[in-house]
mmCIF file of all heavy atoms in Angstrom:
data_model
loop_
_atom_site.group_PDB
_atom_site.id
_atom_site.type_symbol
_atom_site.label_atom_id
_atom_site.label_comp_id
_atom_site.label_asym_id
_atom_site.label_seq_id
_atom_site.Cartn_x
_atom_site.Cartn_y
_atom_site.Cartn_z
ATOM 1 N N ARG A 194 -13.436 1.180 -33.026
ATOM 2 C CA ARG A 194 -13.212 2.181 -31.943
ATOM 3 C C ARG A 194 -14.001 3.430 -32.302
ATOM 4 O O ARG A 194 -14.327 4.174 -31.434
ATOM 5 C CB ARG A 194 -11.712 2.554 -32.041
ATOM 6 C CG ARG A 194 -10.754 1.611 -31.348
ATOM 7 C CD ARG A 194 -10.592 1.885 -29.880
ATOM 8 N NE ARG A 194 -10.185 3.310 -29.682
ATOM 9 C CZ ARG A 194 -8.927 3.697 -29.789
ATOM 10 N NH1 ARG A 194 -7.985 2.780 -30.065
ATOM 11 N NH2 ARG A 194 -8.643 4.958 -29.579
ATOM 12 N N TYR A 195 -14.313 3.619 -33.615
ATOM 13 C CA TYR A 195 -14.889 4.999 -34.011
ATOM 14 C C TYR A 195 -16.195 5.303 -33.255
ATOM 15 O O TYR A 195 -16.287 6.488 -32.795
ATOM 16 C CB TYR A 195 -15.119 5.013 -35.453
ATOM 17 C CG TYR A 195 -15.583 6.301 -35.996
ATOM 18 C CD1 TYR A 195 -14.697 7.373 -36.183
ATOM 19 C CD2 TYR A 195 -16.979 6.462 -36.199
ATOM 20 C CE1 TYR A 195 -15.148 8.604 -36.625
ATOM 21 C CE2 TYR A 195 -17.336 7.687 -36.636
ATOM 22 C CZ TYR A 195 -16.561 8.840 -36.864
ATOM 23 O OH TYR A 195 -16.866 10.055 -37.294
ATOM 24 N N PRO A 196 -17.147 4.353 -33.141
ATOM 25 C CA PRO A 196 -18.417 4.788 -32.480
ATOM 26 C C PRO A 196 -18.200 5.272 -31.056
ATOM 27 O O PRO A 196 -18.829 6.358 -30.608
ATOM 28 C CB PRO A 196 -19.279 3.474 -32.551
ATOM 29 C CG PRO A 196 -18.719 2.701 -33.595
ATOM 30 C CD PRO A 196 -17.202 3.032 -33.618
ATOM 31 N N SER A 197 -17.464 4.542 -30.189
ATOM 32 C CA SER A 197 -17.289 5.000 -28.851
ATOM 33 C C SER A 197 -16.379 6.192 -28.700
ATOM 34 O O SER A 197 -16.578 7.061 -27.850
ATOM 35 C CB SER A 197 -16.875 3.828 -27.955
ATOM 36 O OG SER A 197 -15.491 3.443 -28.502
ATOM 37 N N ASP A 198 -15.324 6.261 -29.512
ATOM 38 C CA ASP A 198 -14.448 7.321 -29.309
ATOM 39 C C ASP A 198 -14.953 8.740 -29.863
ATOM 40 O O ASP A 198 -14.314 9.723 -29.590
ATOM 41 C CB ASP A 198 -13.171 6.977 -30.061
ATOM 42 C CG ASP A 198 -12.218 6.037 -29.196
ATOM 43 O OD1 ASP A 198 -12.758 5.054 -28.702
ATOM 44 O OD2 ASP A 198 -10.998 6.385 -28.997
ATOM 45 N N THR A 199 -15.988 8.595 -30.714
ATOM 46 C CA THR A 199 -16.507 9.939 -31.162
ATOM 47 C C THR A 199 -17.891 10.289 -30.537
ATOM 48 O O THR A 199 -18.577 11.217 -30.922
ATOM 49 C CB THR A 199 -16.775 9.770 -32.656
ATOM 50 O OG1 THR A 199 -17.571 8.633 -33.029
ATOM 51 C CG2 THR A 199 -15.436 9.669 -33.402
ATOM 52 N N GLN A 200 -18.208 9.550 -29.427
ATOM 53 C CA GLN A 200 -19.355 10.067 -28.661
ATOM 54 C C GLN A 200 -19.108 11.338 -28.024
ATOM 55 O O GLN A 200 -17.912 11.614 -27.693
ATOM 56 C CB GLN A 200 -19.667 8.963 -27.570
ATOM 57 C CG GLN A 200 -20.299 7.736 -27.970
ATOM 58 C CD GLN A 200 -20.433 6.713 -26.856
ATOM 59 O OE1 GLN A 200 -19.665 6.576 -25.946
ATOM 60 N NE2 GLN A 200 -21.609 6.132 -26.779
ATOM 61 N N ARG A 201 -20.090 12.086 -27.893
ATOM 62 C CA ARG A 201 -19.934 13.437 -27.333
ATOM 63 C C ARG A 201 -20.046 13.240 -25.752
ATOM 64 O O ARG A 201 -21.128 13.026 -25.228
ATOM 65 C CB ARG A 201 -21.048 14.406 -27.739
ATOM 66 C CG ARG A 201 -20.942 14.744 -29.208
ATOM 67 C CD ARG A 201 -22.058 15.672 -29.645
ATOM 68 N NE ARG A 201 -21.982 16.919 -29.008
ATOM 69 C CZ ARG A 201 -22.909 17.874 -28.934
ATOM 70 N NH1 ARG A 201 -24.029 17.691 -29.552
ATOM 71 N NH2 ARG A 201 -22.656 19.007 -28.279
ATOM 72 N N VAL A 202 -18.926 13.201 -25.094
ATOM 73 C CA VAL A 202 -18.943 13.089 -23.686
ATOM 74 C C VAL A 202 -18.617 14.496 -23.024
ATOM 75 O O VAL A 202 -17.923 15.299 -23.558
ATOM 76 C CB VAL A 202 -17.657 12.049 -23.280
ATOM 77 C CG1 VAL A 202 -17.692 11.847 -21.853
ATOM 78 C CG2 VAL A 202 -17.823 10.796 -24.092
ATOM 79 N N ALA A 203 -19.346 14.648 -21.896
ATOM 80 C CA ALA A 203 -19.174 15.869 -21.154
ATOM 81 C C ALA A 203 -19.084 15.604 -19.668
ATOM 82 O O ALA A 203 -19.370 14.505 -19.239
ATOM 83 C CB ALA A 203 -20.498 16.707 -21.372
ATOM 84 N N VAL A 204 -18.535 16.509 -18.891
ATOM 85 C CA VAL A 204 -18.251 16.434 -17.560
ATOM 86 C C VAL A 204 -19.091 17.513 -16.791
ATOM 87 O O VAL A 204 -19.282 18.587 -17.201
ATOM 88 C CB VAL A 204 -16.735 16.665 -17.247
ATOM 89 C CG1 VAL A 204 -16.549 16.701 -15.702
ATOM 90 C CG2 VAL A 204 -15.890 15.725 -17.854
ATOM 91 N N VAL A 205 -19.747 17.089 -15.686
ATOM 92 C CA VAL A 205 -20.547 17.961 -14.870
ATOM 93 C C VAL A 205 -19.630 18.875 -14.209
ATOM 94 O O VAL A 205 -18.710 18.565 -13.628
ATOM 95 C CB VAL A 205 -21.401 17.232 -13.902
ATOM 96 C CG1 VAL A 205 -22.200 18.141 -13.026
ATOM 97 C CG2 VAL A 205 -22.365 16.227 -14.603
ATOM 98 N N THR A 206 -19.885 20.276 -14.350
ATOM 99 C CA THR A 206 -19.051 21.329 -13.783
ATOM 100 C C THR A 206 -19.634 22.076 -12.691
ATOM 101 O O THR A 206 -19.156 23.138 -12.315
ATOM 102 C CB THR A 206 -18.592 22.299 -14.937
ATOM 103 O OG1 THR A 206 -19.720 22.761 -15.643
ATOM 104 C CG2 THR A 206 -17.673 21.508 -15.834
ATOM 105 N N VAL A 207 -20.890 21.647 -12.233
ATOM 106 C CA VAL A 207 -21.688 22.344 -11.159
ATOM 107 C C VAL A 207 -21.726 21.320 -10.028
ATOM 108 O O VAL A 207 -21.529 20.151 -10.200
ATOM 109 C CB VAL A 207 -23.004 22.948 -11.673
ATOM 110 C CG1 VAL A 207 -22.779 24.001 -12.684
ATOM 111 C CG2 VAL A 207 -23.830 21.693 -12.193
ATOM 112 N N PRO A 208 -22.029 21.755 -8.803
ATOM 113 C CA PRO A 208 -22.145 20.948 -7.665
ATOM 114 C C PRO A 208 -23.061 19.602 -7.970
ATOM 115 O O PRO A 208 -22.779 18.561 -7.668
ATOM 116 C CB PRO A 208 -22.573 21.684 -6.542
ATOM 117 C CG PRO A 208 -22.036 23.043 -6.817
ATOM 118 C CD PRO A 208 -22.071 23.169 -8.301
ATOM 119 N N ARG A 209 -24.315 20.049 -8.516
ATOM 120 C CA ARG A 209 -25.226 18.991 -8.839
ATOM 121 C C ARG A 209 -25.862 19.396 -10.231
ATOM 122 O O ARG A 209 -26.600 20.523 -10.109
ATOM 123 C CB ARG A 209 -26.186 18.645 -7.805
ATOM 124 C CG ARG A 209 -25.536 18.221 -6.446
ATOM 125 C CD ARG A 209 -26.518 17.514 -5.547
ATOM 126 N NE ARG A 209 -26.855 16.131 -5.923
ATOM 127 C CZ ARG A 209 -25.964 15.130 -5.718
ATOM 128 N NH1 ARG A 209 -24.890 15.293 -5.078
ATOM 129 N NH2 ARG A 209 -26.395 13.943 -5.962
ATOM 130 N N ALA A 210 -25.889 18.637 -11.275
ATOM 131 C CA ALA A 210 -26.577 19.015 -12.455
ATOM 132 C C ALA A 210 -27.932 18.326 -12.295
ATOM 133 O O ALA A 210 -28.095 17.061 -12.049
ATOM 134 C CB ALA A 210 -25.779 18.449 -13.630
ATOM 135 N N GLU A 211 -28.971 19.002 -12.632
ATOM 136 C CA GLU A 211 -30.344 18.530 -12.653
ATOM 137 C C GLU A 211 -30.775 18.033 -14.064
ATOM 138 O O GLU A 211 -30.828 18.831 -14.980
ATOM 139 C CB GLU A 211 -31.326 19.649 -12.145
ATOM 140 C CG GLU A 211 -31.053 20.044 -10.774
ATOM 141 C CD GLU A 211 -32.059 21.157 -10.261
ATOM 142 O OE1 GLU A 211 -32.479 21.852 -11.150
ATOM 143 O OE2 GLU A 211 -32.205 21.321 -9.121
ATOM 144 N N LEU A 212 -31.118 16.834 -14.097
ATOM 145 C CA LEU A 212 -31.614 16.321 -15.370
ATOM 146 C C LEU A 212 -33.132 16.305 -15.405
ATOM 147 O O LEU A 212 -33.687 15.732 -14.447
ATOM 148 C CB LEU A 212 -31.111 14.844 -15.602
ATOM 149 C CG LEU A 212 -29.781 14.719 -16.334
ATOM 150 C CD1 LEU A 212 -28.638 15.352 -15.603
ATOM 151 C CD2 LEU A 212 -29.409 13.186 -16.580
ATOM 152 N N ARG A 213 -33.661 17.040 -16.335
ATOM 153 C CA ARG A 213 -35.124 17.231 -16.423
ATOM 154 C C ARG A 213 -35.726 16.449 -17.511
ATOM 155 O O ARG A 213 -35.066 15.975 -18.479
ATOM 156 C CB ARG A 213 -35.500 18.713 -16.474
ATOM 157 C CG ARG A 213 -35.031 19.564 -15.400
ATOM 158 C CD ARG A 213 -35.347 21.013 -15.518
ATOM 159 N NE ARG A 213 -34.893 21.875 -14.372
ATOM 160 C CZ ARG A 213 -35.655 21.994 -13.299
ATOM 161 N NH1 ARG A 213 -36.874 21.536 -13.217
ATOM 162 N NH2 ARG A 213 -35.110 22.692 -12.261
ATOM 163 N N SER A 214 -37.058 16.290 -17.366
ATOM 164 C CA SER A 214 -37.645 15.392 -18.434
ATOM 165 C C SER A 214 -37.911 16.048 -19.742
ATOM 166 O O SER A 214 -38.257 15.512 -20.805
ATOM 167 C CB SER A 214 -39.126 14.939 -17.810
ATOM 168 O OG SER A 214 -39.923 15.972 -17.605
ATOM 169 N N GLY A 215 -37.615 17.400 -19.734
ATOM 170 C CA GLY A 215 -37.758 18.134 -21.014
ATOM 171 C C GLY A 215 -36.813 19.398 -21.050
ATOM 172 O O GLY A 215 -36.216 19.657 -19.978
ATOM 173 N N PRO A 216 -36.723 19.979 -22.220
ATOM 174 C CA PRO A 216 -35.749 21.149 -22.199
ATOM 175 C C PRO A 216 -36.229 22.426 -21.699
ATOM 176 O O PRO A 216 -36.614 23.373 -22.464
ATOM 177 C CB PRO A 216 -35.505 21.244 -23.639
ATOM 178 C CG PRO A 216 -36.825 20.807 -24.322
ATOM 179 C CD PRO A 216 -37.222 19.745 -23.439
ATOM 180 N N GLY A 217 -36.497 22.582 -20.322
ATOM 181 C CA GLY A 217 -36.992 23.761 -19.716
ATOM 182 C C GLY A 217 -37.126 23.663 -18.208
ATOM 183 O O GLY A 217 -37.255 22.518 -17.769
ATOM 184 N N ASP A 218 -37.051 24.739 -17.502
ATOM 185 C CA ASP A 218 -37.238 24.777 -16.125
ATOM 186 C C ASP A 218 -38.621 24.321 -15.641
ATOM 187 O O ASP A 218 -38.710 23.925 -14.398
ATOM 188 C CB ASP A 218 -36.984 26.143 -15.507
ATOM 189 C CG ASP A 218 -35.501 26.544 -15.673
ATOM 190 O OD1 ASP A 218 -34.647 25.623 -15.576
ATOM 191 O OD2 ASP A 218 -35.213 27.729 -15.882
ATOM 192 N N ASN A 219 -39.512 24.314 -16.555
ATOM 193 C CA ASN A 219 -40.914 23.953 -16.173
ATOM 194 C C ASN A 219 -41.084 22.419 -16.113
ATOM 195 O O ASN A 219 -42.090 21.844 -15.601
ATOM 196 C CB ASN A 219 -41.886 24.608 -17.151
ATOM 197 C CG ASN A 219 -41.596 24.144 -18.594
ATOM 198 O OD1 ASN A 219 -40.432 24.293 -18.975
ATOM 199 N ND2 ASN A 219 -42.624 23.809 -19.358
ATOM 200 N N PHE A 220 -40.095 21.693 -16.582
ATOM 201 C CA PHE A 220 -40.157 20.229 -16.614
ATOM 202 C C PHE A 220 -39.585 19.658 -15.258
ATOM 203 O O PHE A 220 -38.647 20.232 -14.742
ATOM 204 C CB PHE A 220 -39.462 19.598 -17.716
ATOM 205 C CG PHE A 220 -39.956 19.798 -19.070
ATOM 206 C CD1 PHE A 220 -39.674 21.005 -19.890
ATOM 207 C CD2 PHE A 220 -40.955 18.892 -19.575
ATOM 208 C CE1 PHE A 220 -40.325 21.113 -21.062
ATOM 209 C CE2 PHE A 220 -41.549 19.104 -20.871
ATOM 210 C CZ PHE A 220 -41.225 20.309 -21.562
ATOM 211 N N PRO A 221 -40.109 18.697 -14.683
ATOM 212 C CA PRO A 221 -39.631 18.083 -13.450
ATOM 213 C C PRO A 221 -38.248 17.498 -13.479
ATOM 214 O O PRO A 221 -37.867 17.071 -14.561
ATOM 215 C CB PRO A 221 -40.733 16.985 -13.102
ATOM 216 C CG PRO A 221 -41.279 16.609 -14.361
ATOM 217 C CD PRO A 221 -41.270 17.815 -15.251
ATOM 218 N N VAL A 222 -37.598 17.660 -12.424
ATOM 219 C CA VAL A 222 -36.229 16.918 -12.304
ATOM 220 C C VAL A 222 -36.322 15.468 -12.203
ATOM 221 O O VAL A 222 -37.072 14.970 -11.213
ATOM 222 C CB VAL A 222 -35.412 17.536 -11.068
ATOM 223 C CG1 VAL A 222 -34.066 16.840 -11.017
ATOM 224 C CG2 VAL A 222 -35.251 19.101 -11.351
ATOM 225 N N SER A 223 -35.772 14.668 -13.003
ATOM 226 C CA SER A 223 -35.798 13.198 -12.986
ATOM 227 C C SER A 223 -34.647 12.615 -12.064
ATOM 228 O O SER A 223 -34.839 11.571 -11.343
ATOM 229 C CB SER A 223 -35.863 12.653 -14.271
ATOM 230 O OG SER A 223 -34.769 13.038 -15.087
ATOM 231 N N VAL A 224 -33.451 13.284 -12.188
ATOM 232 C CA VAL A 224 -32.383 12.767 -11.484
ATOM 233 C C VAL A 224 -31.271 13.906 -11.355
ATOM 234 O O VAL A 224 -31.331 14.799 -12.234
ATOM 235 C CB VAL A 224 -31.754 11.447 -12.159
ATOM 236 C CG1 VAL A 224 -31.175 11.950 -13.462
ATOM 237 C CG2 VAL A 224 -30.675 10.810 -11.309
ATOM 238 N N THR A 225 -30.443 13.799 -10.367
ATOM 239 C CA THR A 225 -29.333 14.743 -10.259
ATOM 240 C C THR A 225 -27.937 14.077 -10.401
ATOM 241 O O THR A 225 -27.930 12.926 -9.952
ATOM 242 C CB THR A 225 -29.386 15.600 -8.959
ATOM 243 O OG1 THR A 225 -29.283 14.608 -7.874
ATOM 244 C CG2 THR A 225 -30.635 16.408 -8.827
ATOM 245 N N VAL A 226 -27.056 14.671 -10.927
ATOM 246 C CA VAL A 226 -25.759 14.026 -11.184
ATOM 247 C C VAL A 226 -24.688 14.988 -10.549
ATOM 248 O O VAL A 226 -24.651 16.163 -10.756
ATOM 249 C CB VAL A 226 -25.420 13.927 -12.679
ATOM 250 C CG1 VAL A 226 -24.020 13.204 -12.862
ATOM 251 C CG2 VAL A 226 -26.518 13.208 -13.366
ATOM 252 N N PRO A 227 -23.779 14.385 -9.708
ATOM 253 C CA PRO A 227 -22.758 15.197 -8.955
ATOM 254 C C PRO A 227 -21.639 15.752 -9.872
ATOM 255 O O PRO A 227 -21.536 15.211 -10.975
ATOM 256 C CB PRO A 227 -22.272 14.285 -7.913
ATOM 257 C CG PRO A 227 -22.450 12.960 -8.415
ATOM 258 C CD PRO A 227 -23.732 12.911 -9.324
ATOM 259 N N ARG A 228 -20.980 16.730 -9.351
ATOM 260 C CA ARG A 228 -19.809 17.293 -10.120
ATOM 261 C C ARG A 228 -18.872 16.234 -10.517
ATOM 262 O O ARG A 228 -18.647 15.238 -9.802
ATOM 263 C CB ARG A 228 -19.136 18.418 -9.173
ATOM 264 C CG ARG A 228 -18.022 19.109 -9.876
ATOM 265 C CD ARG A 228 -17.245 19.912 -8.918
ATOM 266 N NE ARG A 228 -17.991 20.993 -8.433
ATOM 267 C CZ ARG A 228 -18.135 22.190 -8.966
ATOM 268 N NH1 ARG A 228 -17.532 22.489 -10.048
ATOM 269 N NH2 ARG A 228 -18.867 23.184 -8.469
ATOM 270 N N ALA A 229 -18.163 16.521 -11.737
ATOM 271 C CA ALA A 229 -17.147 15.581 -12.161
ATOM 272 C C ALA A 229 -17.542 14.282 -12.762
ATOM 273 O O ALA A 229 -16.747 13.464 -13.074
ATOM 274 C CB ALA A 229 -16.044 15.410 -11.167
ATOM 275 N N HIS A 230 -18.919 14.042 -12.841
ATOM 276 C CA HIS A 230 -19.398 12.781 -13.415
ATOM 277 C C HIS A 230 -19.567 12.979 -14.884
ATOM 278 O O HIS A 230 -19.884 14.147 -15.502
ATOM 279 C CB HIS A 230 -20.635 12.337 -12.760
ATOM 280 C CG HIS A 230 -20.266 11.598 -11.444
ATOM 281 N ND1 HIS A 230 -19.691 12.068 -10.399
ATOM 282 C CD2 HIS A 230 -20.534 10.247 -11.117
ATOM 283 C CE1 HIS A 230 -19.498 11.161 -9.407
ATOM 284 N NE2 HIS A 230 -20.037 10.174 -9.846
ATOM 285 N N LEU A 231 -19.441 11.843 -15.629
ATOM 286 C CA LEU A 231 -19.537 11.802 -17.028
ATOM 287 C C LEU A 231 -20.959 11.653 -17.576
ATOM 288 O O LEU A 231 -21.826 10.915 -17.090
ATOM 289 C CB LEU A 231 -18.694 10.711 -17.712
ATOM 290 C CG LEU A 231 -17.163 10.745 -17.294
ATOM 291 C CD1 LEU A 231 -16.489 9.598 -17.865
ATOM 292 C CD2 LEU A 231 -16.539 11.988 -17.607
ATOM 293 N N LEU A 232 -21.295 12.482 -18.682
ATOM 294 C CA LEU A 232 -22.604 12.339 -19.380
ATOM 295 C C LEU A 232 -22.342 12.203 -20.899
ATOM 296 O O LEU A 232 -21.244 12.697 -21.371
ATOM 297 C CB LEU A 232 -23.413 13.582 -19.089
ATOM 298 C CG LEU A 232 -23.794 13.953 -17.624
ATOM 299 C CD1 LEU A 232 -24.451 15.223 -17.571
ATOM 300 C CD2 LEU A 232 -24.665 12.812 -17.051
ATOM 301 N N LEU A 233 -23.229 11.571 -21.533
ATOM 302 C CA LEU A 233 -23.164 11.523 -23.039
ATOM 303 C C LEU A 233 -24.197 12.354 -23.606
ATOM 304 O O LEU A 233 -25.369 12.358 -23.252
ATOM 305 C CB LEU A 233 -23.475 10.037 -23.453
ATOM 306 C CG LEU A 233 -22.542 8.927 -22.974
ATOM 307 C CD1 LEU A 233 -22.970 7.462 -23.462
ATOM 308 C CD2 LEU A 233 -21.117 9.137 -23.418
ATOM 309 N N ILE A 234 -23.722 13.332 -24.397
ATOM 310 C CA ILE A 234 -24.692 14.238 -25.064
ATOM 311 C C ILE A 234 -25.374 13.609 -26.274
ATOM 312 O O ILE A 234 -24.592 13.137 -27.291
ATOM 313 C CB ILE A 234 -23.849 15.520 -25.479
ATOM 314 C CG1 ILE A 234 -23.240 16.124 -24.308
ATOM 315 C CG2 ILE A 234 -24.798 16.530 -26.256
ATOM 316 C CD1 ILE A 234 -22.498 17.413 -24.565
ATOM 317 N N GLU A 235 -26.683 13.636 -26.355
ATOM 318 C CA GLU A 235 -27.334 12.935 -27.466
ATOM 319 C C GLU A 235 -28.031 13.923 -28.453
ATOM 320 O O GLU A 235 -28.124 13.691 -29.496
ATOM 321 C CB GLU A 235 -28.441 12.020 -26.949
ATOM 322 C CG GLU A 235 -27.847 10.915 -26.009
ATOM 323 C CD GLU A 235 -28.881 10.104 -25.326
ATOM 324 O OE1 GLU A 235 -30.119 10.476 -25.394
ATOM 325 O OE2 GLU A 235 -28.597 9.105 -24.671
ATOM 326 N N ASP A 236 -28.295 15.045 -27.863
ATOM 327 C CA ASP A 236 -29.109 16.065 -28.659
ATOM 328 C C ASP A 236 -29.018 17.475 -28.006
ATOM 329 O O ASP A 236 -28.549 17.491 -26.802
ATOM 330 C CB ASP A 236 -30.663 15.627 -28.824
ATOM 331 C CG ASP A 236 -31.256 16.270 -29.928
ATOM 332 O OD1 ASP A 236 -30.583 17.130 -30.696
ATOM 333 O OD2 ASP A 236 -32.430 16.068 -30.171
ATOM 334 N N GLY A 237 -29.563 18.491 -28.624
ATOM 335 C CA GLY A 237 -29.538 19.681 -28.078
ATOM 336 C C GLY A 237 -30.650 20.672 -28.441
ATOM 337 O O GLY A 237 -31.257 20.351 -29.597
ATOM 338 N N LYS A 238 -31.053 21.595 -27.694
ATOM 339 C CA LYS A 238 -32.213 22.488 -28.035
ATOM 340 C C LYS A 238 -32.001 23.788 -27.264
ATOM 341 O O LYS A 238 -32.234 23.805 -26.063
ATOM 342 C CB LYS A 238 -33.536 21.842 -27.757
ATOM 343 C CG LYS A 238 -34.752 22.697 -28.162
ATOM 344 C CD LYS A 238 -36.006 21.956 -27.999
ATOM 345 C CE LYS A 238 -37.195 22.767 -28.552
ATOM 346 N NZ LYS A 238 -38.531 22.091 -28.207
ATOM 347 N N GLY A 239 -31.583 24.762 -27.958
ATOM 348 C CA GLY A 239 -31.253 26.074 -27.285
ATOM 349 C C GLY A 239 -30.212 25.976 -26.287
ATOM 350 O O GLY A 239 -29.071 25.423 -26.556
ATOM 351 N N GLU A 240 -30.573 26.285 -25.031
ATOM 352 C CA GLU A 240 -29.597 26.278 -23.932
ATOM 353 C C GLU A 240 -29.638 24.969 -23.170
ATOM 354 O O GLU A 240 -28.996 24.830 -22.050
ATOM 355 C CB GLU A 240 -29.791 27.430 -23.062
ATOM 356 C CG GLU A 240 -31.184 27.476 -22.275
ATOM 357 C CD GLU A 240 -31.389 28.668 -21.414
ATOM 358 O OE1 GLU A 240 -30.456 29.479 -21.296
ATOM 359 O OE2 GLU A 240 -32.403 28.671 -20.752
ATOM 360 N N TRP A 241 -30.260 23.941 -23.724
ATOM 361 C CA TRP A 241 -30.404 22.698 -23.133
ATOM 362 C C TRP A 241 -29.755 21.566 -23.932
ATOM 363 O O TRP A 241 -29.738 21.609 -25.175
ATOM 364 C CB TRP A 241 -31.873 22.278 -22.836
ATOM 365 C CG TRP A 241 -32.568 23.318 -21.826
ATOM 366 C CD1 TRP A 241 -33.020 24.477 -22.177
ATOM 367 C CD2 TRP A 241 -32.688 23.095 -20.448
ATOM 368 N NE1 TRP A 241 -33.569 25.098 -20.985
ATOM 369 C CE2 TRP A 241 -33.395 24.257 -19.931
ATOM 370 C CE3 TRP A 241 -32.301 21.971 -19.563
ATOM 371 C CZ2 TRP A 241 -33.690 24.244 -18.606
ATOM 372 C CZ3 TRP A 241 -32.665 22.143 -18.249
ATOM 373 C CH2 TRP A 241 -33.343 23.305 -17.782
ATOM 374 N N ASP A 242 -29.222 20.549 -23.262
ATOM 375 C CA ASP A 242 -28.717 19.387 -23.970
ATOM 376 C C ASP A 242 -29.345 18.248 -23.445
ATOM 377 O O ASP A 242 -29.606 17.972 -22.175
ATOM 378 C CB ASP A 242 -27.133 19.247 -23.650
ATOM 379 C CG ASP A 242 -26.362 20.224 -24.380
ATOM 380 O OD1 ASP A 242 -26.641 20.507 -25.608
ATOM 381 O OD2 ASP A 242 -25.343 20.818 -23.794
ATOM 382 N N LYS A 243 -29.639 17.247 -24.326
ATOM 383 C CA LYS A 243 -30.271 15.968 -23.915
ATOM 384 C C LYS A 243 -29.105 15.058 -23.688
ATOM 385 O O LYS A 243 -28.228 14.846 -24.538
ATOM 386 C CB LYS A 243 -31.189 15.349 -25.023
ATOM 387 C CG LYS A 243 -31.907 14.047 -24.495
ATOM 388 C CD LYS A 243 -32.801 13.556 -25.625
ATOM 389 C CE LYS A 243 -33.410 12.282 -25.019
ATOM 390 N NZ LYS A 243 -34.371 11.659 -26.035
#
Side-chain angles (χ1 to χ4, degrees):
R194 284 273 305 279
Y195 185 81
S197 60
D198 280 48
T199 54
Q200 286 180 316
R201 296 180 62 193
V202 181
V204 176
V205 176
T206 56
V207 294
R209 299 198 81 78
E211 296 180 335
L212 272 61
R213 297 179 179 271
S214 59
D218 290 326
N219 54 315
F220 290 92
V222 176
S223 55
V224 65
T225 60
V226 184
R228 183 189 291 274
H230 276 62
L231 304 180
L232 300 172
L233 300 178
I234 302 176
E235 301 173 353
D236 198 1
K238 186 175 182 181
E240 60 181 2
W241 294 84
D242 286 319
K243 185 179 182 182

